[in-house]
Each structure stands twice: as C-alpha cells, then as structure tokens.
Amino acid sequence: MPTQTKTHAASPVREKAQTLSGQGLHPSGEVHWNLIGPELMLAAARREEGEFAEMGPFVARTAPHTGRSPNDKFVVRDPASEKDVDWGKVNQPISPAHFAALLADVRKHLDSSPELFVEDLHCGADPAYQLSVRYVSPNAWHMAFVRNMFIRPEPSALATFDPNFTVLHAPEFEATPAKHGTRSGTFIVLNLTERMILIGGTRYAGELKKSMFTVMNYILPKQGVLSMHCSANAGDNGDTALFFGLSGTGKTTLSADPERHLIGDDEHGWSGDGVFNFEGGCYAKVINLSPEGEPDIYRTTQMFGTILENVVLDPVTKRVRFDDKSITENTRASYPLHYIPKSVPNGRGGHPKNVIFLTADAFGVLPPISQLTPEQAMYYFLSGYTAKVAGTERGVTEPQATFSACFGAVFLVWHPTKYANMLGELLRRHGSKVWLVNTGWSGGAFGVGHRMKLKHTREMIHAALQGKLDNVRFDADPIFGLRIPAEVPGVPREVLHPRETWSDGAAYDEQARKLAGMFRENFEKFSGVSDEIRNAGPRQASEAHVPEQAALPEG
C-alpha cells in the first residue's frame, strides 16, 4: 500500500497513522486527513476548484447541477430495512447487487485520484444520538463545506475517532444505469444497513448535507426521537422555538433573529431531553441578500471560511452580485454556526414552547399569523404547504401549490404519519403552542399583491414567542377555520385579515375556495388519519358560513 503523505504542517494528533482500509479504499495518491478550514481553502485554491470573493469567502460553481437531484436518490432494499422504508418516488429502491457494483467502481475511481481529502465529523449535537461520519472526497472545497456544516470534533478526539457511517463522494464519476441500476449518471445511494452513502455525478454540495439528514430521519425514530426539517432558536430566558418550512418560506431568515439565540437553521431532533441540532453550520439561500434585511447572514458572506455556491462576482471588484440569478436562483452560503453572533455553542435547547409552521402562500389568501388547535397542527404538518411562483413561459403566472409532508417529504424514510404521530405526542406532552405564519403574498395573489413585509412577520413572531397574544381575542377564518389574532402589537390590523387587504372581496373568496380544494385533494392520500385531524382542514364551500370575524374561545 502506498505511503499516504502530507504536505501541510498539521498537528501531531492529525499526523498519527491513518488508513482508509475500513472504507475499502487503497489510494495511490496523496491523502489529506482532517485539514482545518484555512488549509482546505488553500488546497481548493491551489487545485483551482473556485476563486475567492472580496473579503475572503470561497466561491464554487456546481454546474450543471445547481440544486439537489431527488429523482437520482436511491435506498438499498434489503431484508434489514425493507419493512421500515416508505418505498416509492421519494425512496426509490436499488438492489444490493447494483449497490455492490457501484461501490466497487466508486472505490476504484477514488483509489486512482491524485489527491483525497478526508474529514471525520459528527452529525447530532446530543452525544446520546450522535453519528460519527467519515467523508472522503477528491475535492478540497467539498470537504471545507462538510467541515462548515457538521460538528467538528476536538483535535484530541481525532486519534480515536471511530466512524459509524461513511460517505464516499465522487463528483466527477458518472454511473452507468444499465450496470449500476441508476436513472442517470448522477446518484445519491443510501445503504442503511451497511451505513454508507455513495454520491457522484453532481458537484452540488447540498447532497452531502441532505443525504445525512435522510439517514437521521431513519435512525432517530427507531430510538424514539423525532427528526425534523426545521430551524430552532431560543430567547434569553431559554425558551425554545421551532420553525418548520420549505425552501423560500423564511426558515433560515426568521430563525437568525438578532433578538434570539440560534440553535440551528435546518435540521433538528426532539428527544426526551429537548431539542438538538444535527449540524454545526448553516446553509442559507442568498439570492437578493441585503445587509438591511438579514444583517447577520449578510455578515457571514463577507468572512473568510464561508463558501458561496453559484453566486456571480463582479469581474473587477470581486464583490458578490446578490441579485444576479444568471447561474441559478438557488445561490447559497455555507458557514459555521458560530459565525452568527448569537448562536448556541452546544447546539441544544429545551422542549419548545412554540412551534411555527412557515408557508409562502403565493395565492395571497392565508392569514399572516394564526394559532392552530392540536388537530389543525397535525393537518397542516402532514400537508406541508407552500406555493411557488410559476415561470413566465407562455405567459403563465399562476402560483403552483406545493405540498410536502412534514415540511420535508423528500427527506423522509418512514411513512409521514410516523413523524406526525410523534410530533403530536410531543406537542401534547409539553404543551407547545403551534402557529401558522404566512410569509407569502398579501393584497392579492402573485402578480397583483405584494410580499408580506419582513418587519411585520418579525413583529408577529415576536409577539407569539413573548406571550403577547395569550390574552387577545381570536377571530375565525370562514373557509380555513384558522384562529386569527384580532391585534398584534406593531402590525396594522387590516394586515391580519387577508380578505381586508384585497380590493375585490369576491375575488379573494374565489381564490380561497380554490386553495382549500387543493388542500382537501392533497390530503386524500392520508387514508389512515383520524376524522378529527381530517376535519381540521379547510371547510367545503357549503360549510363555509362562519362569519368572517366570529370570535372563537381564547386559549
């Protein structure tokens, strides 16, 4: 076996004899073990994997893939996990034989690479539920990314690091569908039994992050811990809040609140001891980012150590053009959690007092904030609704409803009702309040109305978290049955009732009934839920006779 040399001046701990034989690798080239951020950045620059922007962040481009490839994700179907997995479009099966063939070819590809970079990291801030993950890649910047995103062990712990999960990353290797059982040359293959992930045919770094989230979504529920696609923060007195939401709803923006302490921005577990982050970093969308709107996140994009994906730089000044979407609208920043000034160092919090479901309703009909009953919480959690703005091709401007169970269907392994039942039990046990917050459109649908003001959304969330809505009157929405606070400090009253923001009330009613029908149609696939949960959704048109501002009981 060739000597695995080092060219960096690393600490003696990192220089101890290391081997990749446990991962089935016998590389012929140079292997770099657990380089720290600056070393990885310098290696990435030396290898011409990207460039530096003004103020020092590293810029990488991932074309042709500028987002995840969910249709290329597979789970190995074997006797050990077959009965657990919710097989279908999300969890596409691949045979053990195809996995073995792909693994052999990925190993051969990595063995022949001139250089390999290895990072030993943790997934899960609670030691009781933590995975020890070994990442192997031929690219330095990708390993800088995972080092940003996951939990970095103390150097003294590296000598005895014992990985219980492996991720082999081969971005330049393309699978052969006939041989490997994939759909295309791109592949993200999870073997839950052998605790291994293979990623190739794509340079998009998000696959390295989200594949481990999928793993946690499988392992933690088996241990009685709810895995969640949500951000989390805490107030000065330790009160924890969760923020669920799909991409574009404001999950990262609203959790990175200067008035609160950030636990994490994307993935968490809820155990008997409270909430814990899976990660040690953040992965924020930065399209149209501004220092005025999101000062803490903007500040990270001016720091060495941050990785910017697919942003456009001014050719002369090397400043980022945050409003430039010529490469993709899905521009991203990866940075360590401690780059946010008020972050929680240990990534843990207590049981949440408040849970917030975020939606960006481009139809313009959902209220900006409403409190949910326990049954409504289950209904809207299983629905996982947001709306995306359609493209302008052929003049189409109609919003497109998106329903993603548990606000993260593409990352679930078990059936969605398993996660929903666990959430329901936790909400009941700990008395958590649940709020639905619409960060989408007001005064009309997309193209007519305007996006909800971030200032107003922050005021509403602050009021909910600080208990300022505990004693106000709540009004009933006639179609969705949602409880809307009659007043929120700092927010104009007319903003709270969406119908009042429309110039044409009849047009609002028509749009609201249309969206309600979409909710009901989507929910038909959940055949096993109780009537109480099913009836907590939007009313049929014939049932929607509740006066618009009929008072509901407080509490």
Side-chain angles (χ1 to χ4, degrees):
M1 176 176 165
T3 301
Q4 298 179 17
T5 60
K6 319 286 190 298
T7 59
H8 60 281
S11 69
V13 170
R14 290 192 281 141
E15 289 297 335
K16 289 197 174 184
Q18 299 271 24
T19 175
L20 288 172
S21 59
Q23 285 67 48
L25 295 173
H26 306 284
S28 58
E30 189 172 11
V31 179
H32 306 278
W33 286 87
N34 291 307
L35 301 191
I36 62 174
E39 294 169 332
L40 289 165
M41 295 295 185
L42 290 174
R46 168 178 59 80
R47 291 166 48 84
E48 299 182 340
E49 295 175 1
E51 61 181 319
F52 289 102
E54 185 192 44
M55 305 303 291
F58 188 80
V59 178
R61 296 184 175 89
T62 66
H65 296 276
T66 56
R68 290 182 302 99
S69 300
N71 293 332
D72 293 307
K73 189 185 84 172
F74 297 87
V75 179
V76 176
R77 188 166 192 160
D78 59 28
S81 59
E82 184 172 18
K83 294 181 180 179
D84 297 335
V85 178
D86 183 28
W87 301 104
K89 185 178 180 181
V90 170
N91 298 300
Q92 302 177 96
I94 193 170
S95 71
H98 279 132
F99 175 82
L102 182 59
L103 174 60
D105 286 345
V106 168
R107 283 172 170 163
K108 188 183 302 182
H109 172 81
L110 294 176
D111 280 344
S112 65
S113 297
E115 292 181 278
L116 288 180
F117 298 85
V118 183
E119 290 292 321
D120 291 333
L121 301 163
H122 292 308
C123 182
D126 187 337
Y129 305 106
Q130 192 173 75
L131 289 181
S132 299
V133 189
R134 175 161 290 168
Y135 288 88
V136 183
S137 175
N139 285 1
W141 86 264
H142 281 105
M143 293 301 92
F145 173 86
V146 295
R147 190 171 178 85
N148 275 354
M149 295 311 306
F150 291 95
I151 298 168
R152 300 160 288 280
E154 290 297 322
S156 59
L158 292 173
T160 57
F161 188 91
D162 184 18
N164 54 21
F165 226 95
T166 297
V167 180
L168 299 184
H169 181 236
E172 307 304 325
F173 175 79
E174 298 222 350
T176 303
K179 179 181 181 182
H180 300 125
T182 58
R183 185 188 69 93
S184 69
T186 300
F187 57 92
I188 304 94
V189 181
L190 286 70
N191 191 320
L192 300 170
T193 301
E194 295 188 17
R195 294 194 162 214
M196 182 173 284
I197 299 171
L198 307 179
I199 300 174
T202 173
R203 301 182 191 96
Y204 182 65
E207 302 288 14
L208 290 159
K209 163 188 159 68
K210 289 300 187 183
S211 57
M212 278 310 303
F213 180 45
T214 303
V215 167
M216 296 296 266
N217 276 332
Y218 174 68
I219 291 177
L220 289 187
K222 291 172 76 77
Q223 300 174 296
V225 177
L226 175 62
S227 53
M228 306 174 291
H229 185 215
C230 70
S231 56
N233 65 23
D236 289 338
N237 62 358
D239 62 297
T240 300
L242 302 182
F243 297 78
F244 288 87
L246 300 173
S247 179
T249 59
K251 180 160 53 73
T252 298
T253 298
L254 293 167
S255 59
D257 186 333
E259 296 187 19
R260 293 174 64 83
H261 303 267
L262 182 64
I263 298 172
D265 85 322
D266 197 38
E267 304 165 3
H268 292 80
W270 189 352
S271 72
D273 296 323
V275 170
F276 62 95
N277 193 357
F278 292 169
E279 302 178 309
C282 303
Y283 193 42
K285 289 188 75 170
V286 295
I287 193 70
N288 297 322
L289 185 69
S290 72
E292 297 79 22
E294 300 168 76
D296 285 347
I297 296 176
Y298 181 86
R299 193 178 300 113
T300 70
T301 67
Q302 310 300 300
M303 299 169 70
F304 179 78
T306 292
I307 296 171
L308 299 173
E309 252 186 332
N310 299 313
V311 300
V312 177
L313 300 181
D314 183 284
V316 176
T317 65
K318 297 298 180 181
R319 293 172 184 161
V320 181
R321 294 173 172 171
F322 286 108
D323 60 347
D324 191 326
K325 57 182 78 172
S326 57
I327 297 176
T328 178
E329 190 167 326
N330 189 37
T331 54
R332 295 274 180 169
S334 162
Y335 49 90
L337 185 64
H338 65 260
Y339 277 21
I340 297 294
K342 294 181 69 172
S343 59
V344 179
N346 69 358
R348 300 172 69 176
H351 297 293
K353 294 181 65 176
N354 290 278
V355 175
I356 295 171
F357 296 161
L358 297 168
T359 181
D361 176 29
F363 293 92
V365 298
L366 290 181
I369 186 168
S370 53
Q371 187 175 12
L372 305 182
T373 66
E375 293 76 22
Q376 286 175 327
M378 292 299 92
Y379 184 94
Y380 284 95
F381 183 66
L382 281 169
S383 297
Y385 165 72
T386 193
K388 297 181 179 179
V389 178
T392 57
E393 296 179 16
R394 292 174 289 181
V396 177
T397 57
E398 175 72 11
Q400 303 294 314
T402 298
F403 295 95
S404 183
C406 310
F407 295 97
V410 293
F411 311 120
L412 304 183
V413 181
W414 303 84
H415 191 275
T417 53
K418 183 177 183 71
Y419 305 91
N421 290 336
M422 294 181 73
L423 178 65
E425 172 58 28
L426 287 164
L427 294 175
R428 287 189 293 272
R429 187 185 309 165
H430 300 290
S432 309
K433 294 180 180 179
V434 185
W435 307 86
L436 180 66
V437 172
N438 175 22
T439 62
W441 273 255
S442 178
F446 171 78
V448 177
H450 55 82
R451 192 79 191 253
M452 202 75 64
K453 291 182 179 179
L454 179 59
K455 178 180 181 293
H456 288 159
T457 300
R458 287 198 188 279
E459 291 285 358
M460 288 182 275
I461 289 177
H462 286 161
L465 300 188
Q466 294 167 10
K468 294 180 179 179
L469 304 183
D470 290 353
N471 298 311
V472 304
R473 190 185 85 249
F474 283 81
D475 300 328
D477 179 279
I479 294 177
F480 291 89
L482 299 169
R483 303 174 66 241
I484 305 170
E487 56 183 301
V488 175
V491 180
R493 185 194 175 282
E494 62 271 14
V495 172
L496 301 174
H497 292 273
R499 193 175 191 274
E500 294 181 14
T501 67
W502 284 54
S503 60
D504 184 343
Y508 167 86
D509 294 339
E510 181 181 357
Q511 189 84 316
R513 285 192 291 267
K514 179 179 179 180
L515 180 59
M518 295 179 188
F519 266 96
R520 290 192 297 271
E521 181 180 359
N522 170 73
F523 210 79
E524 289 176 1
K525 63 189 176 189
F526 300 113
S527 56
V529 302
S530 68
D531 289 341
E532 289 79 9
I533 293 174
R534 187 175 303 279
N535 294 334
R539 297 172 172 84
Q540 299 280 354
S542 59
E543 301 171 328
H545 295 311
V546 179
E548 186 184 353
Q549 297 182 17
L552 288 178
E554 295 180 2

